[in-house]
Amino acid sequence: MVAQYDYIVVGAGSAGCVAARALSDNPDARVLLIEAGSPNTGHPMITTPAAWPGLIQSEFDWGAFTVPQVHANNRVIVYPRGKVLGGSSAINGMVHVPGHRADFDGWAAAGNEGWDYDSVLPLFKDLESHAKAPSPYHGSDGPLHVGYAVDPHPVTLALLEAGVQAGHTRNDDPTGDNLLGIGLGPVAIKNGVRQSAAISHLLPVMNRPNLEVRTATQVLKLRFVADRCVGVEVLHNGVREVIEASGEIVLCAGALESPRLLMLSGIGRAEHLKKFDIDVRVDLMGVGENMQDHPLVAGVCYEMTDEAAAAGPPRNNLSECQLFCKSDPSLGTPDLQPVFPHVPYTMPEFGPPPAHAFTLLPGLVQPKARGNVKLQSADPDMPLAIDPNLLGHEDDIRALVRGVEICLEIGSQPALDSVRKREFLPGPELRSKPELEAFVRNAVSSYFHPVGTCKMGSDAHSVVGSDLRVHGIDGLRIADASIMPRITSANTNAPSMMIGAKVAQLIQEGRAVKSTSSDSARVTA
């Protein structure tokens, strides 16, 4: 059976929901959005902000793990990815920070025209209705509501005061020009309900006659005629189907699944594909390489006083405030993003934490380590070999040790005296650099922000150009976190949504150019 559409968007995650909505804004464009996960966006575990930790390893998570992390004592790290409309935006911590101006200006300086901060800022603004709008940095009419914690937990308020006492400026609006400081974090929550990409962008337009959404549908591989991608082969309820597009295929499957689909379809490093008897269509050495992630140390943990524990159950998204700071004052931009959940957040290696605790989690947002994603089989159901290579660069461990020290400095401030009962981790006896480094290697996990595995650029290791077209193939673009040449300096959900908007803009601009050229040809004739 062959179905015809103008555009097929693969993956209804942060980028895919935005891209499908924007493409279907044109009533003449027939758009199909394919998602392998569930349609159940209204499940209370998804919609309730404070419930997000319970989504890890749940029915809404693909349940992935990394390979043993060599520089983290060979520990295997859980690696959740959303298995539902909205993708990982349906299971994440809901923090919405686009990143620093330098992130996007760096992409442009590397040869990616049109991706500088001033060029992408309008796309960010169009996505959101922000509590800080009107502002040069925030939109007021977009589908995604961005607000702040309602009635923050008393421990959060104490942490904010402690951060200021430790010398950090107060900043509740981390924008492209100024991330530095501690403040309440902008979150995608409206009236106490999670605003995933599906809830905010997709559900309001699901009844459009030109938009079809298929869930529980697995894309097995891409289909080609010569050097043009013309469709996808899918599996639904045990039945294989070929679906074709007269226009373009847009991969929005994420930093793990987009490279997998390329490799299963013969696009990738030739020597790797040949190991699994996959016919090589395009030898692109960068597919699955350049993987980056934000390491997160879990964490500097304090047992609460009885008074603090009695202040009520966890609220909002559990981590109501955050800090952007520098591990080295000479850095031009912040490289650390500690977050401060008012709940215990530690690794199993340290045993059960206190029942009532708060945690200061040092996070590194400019890591130098690079990892990769590789096939382990030509079977699309086999797990990938996921290696973010956490702590794989000596500068990363050095920065995170400093991050632990910064969190300990905040944790010792008098503002926390009424809520801090005792230090559970790393333990008051551990303060030397070697001791804290050992702690980091045992405590490091991930922010779950994988990017870069189909990087944008024009060098030999790039996979797509600045127009997001896959090198060597017509009719195929990638638009998700995998195209980031370098990871952004904050949570990656907001830039992933921007990338979804950007691909729709590029496609629509291409249609306009073709239409103008066609009209000109008719006039000439």
Side-chain angles (χ1 to χ4, degrees), residues 74 135 140 185 208 242 275 375 401 461 490:
N74 287 312
S135 158
S140 57
R208 286 179 174 175
V242 173
K275 290 180 181 178
L375 296 176
V401 166
H461 293 274

Side-chain angles (χ1 to χ4, degrees), residues 107-184:
W107 293 3
N112 297 298
E113 184 179 356
W115 290 88
D116 59 282
Y117 183 72
D118 288 336
S119 294
V120 301
L121 179 59
L123 296 173
F124 279 115
K125 294 175 69 174
D126 287 346
L127 290 172
E128 63 183 28
S129 291
H130 200 289
K132 296 291 185 180
S135 158
Y137 301 100
H138 303 305
S140 57
D141 299 316
L144 180 71
H145 179 89
V146 180
Y148 290 84
V150 176
D151 187 24
H153 196 280
V155 169
T156 295
L157 300 178
L159 283 162
L160 288 170
E161 186 179 351
V164 173
Q165 289 176 345
H168 303 282
T169 58
R170 182 68 186 262
N171 182 5
D172 291 328
D173 189 19
T175 64
D177 287 304
N178 181 28
L179 293 186
L180 277 172
I182 189 168
L184 294 173

Side-chain angles (χ1 to χ4, degrees), residues 466-481:
S466 58
D467 57 3
L468 302 184
R469 297 180 188 272
V470 175
H471 296 314
I473 296 290
D474 291 329
L476 179 62
R477 303 196 204 215
I478 304 177
D480 55 35

Side-chain angles (χ1 to χ4, degrees), residues 291-311:
M291 184 182 185
Q292 300 157 60
D293 194 3
H294 291 147
L296 186 71
V297 176
V300 176
C301 184
Y302 296 92
E303 184 176 9
M304 288 183 186
T305 60
D306 294 342
E307 179 185 0

Side-chain angles (χ1 to χ4, degrees), residues 151-163 182-184 300-316 318-322 339-344 356-360 410-411 413-421:
D151 187 24
H153 196 280
V155 169
T156 295
L157 300 178
L159 283 162
L160 288 170
E161 186 179 351
I182 189 168
L184 294 173
V300 176
C301 184
Y302 296 92
E303 184 176 9
M304 288 183 186
T305 60
D306 294 342
E307 179 185 0
R315 305 173 189 176
N316 298 293
L318 307 182
S319 185
E320 299 165 328
C321 66
Q322 63 188 7
V339 290
F340 309 120
H342 52 271
V343 294
H356 300 286
F358 61 94
T359 321
L360 290 73
I410 294 172
Q413 297 302 316
L416 294 173
D417 287 350
S418 64
V419 300
R420 180 190 60 240
K421 185 174 183 179

Side-chain angles (χ1 to χ4, degrees), residues 259-314:
R260 186 211 294 262
L261 273 173
L262 291 184
M263 290 187 282
L264 291 176
S265 305
I267 303 171
R269 186 184 292 270
E271 61 181 308
H272 180 56
L273 302 184
K274 289 175 181 176
K275 290 180 181 178
F276 307 106
D277 296 323
I278 298 173
D279 292 335
V280 178
R281 183 170 295 276
V282 183
D283 184 1
L284 280 182
M285 68 176 69
V287 175
E289 300 298 323
N290 190 50
M291 184 182 185
Q292 300 157 60
D293 194 3
H294 291 147
L296 186 71
V297 176
V300 176
C301 184
Y302 296 92
E303 184 176 9
M304 288 183 186
T305 60
D306 294 342
E307 179 185 0

Side-chain angles (χ1 to χ4, degrees), residues 76-97:
V76 172
I77 308 298
V78 64
Y79 222 63
R81 313 307 299 153
K83 191 181 181 182
V84 62
L85 286 177
S88 294
S89 74
I91 68 170
N92 68 4
M94 292 152 281
V95 177
H96 188 89
V97 182

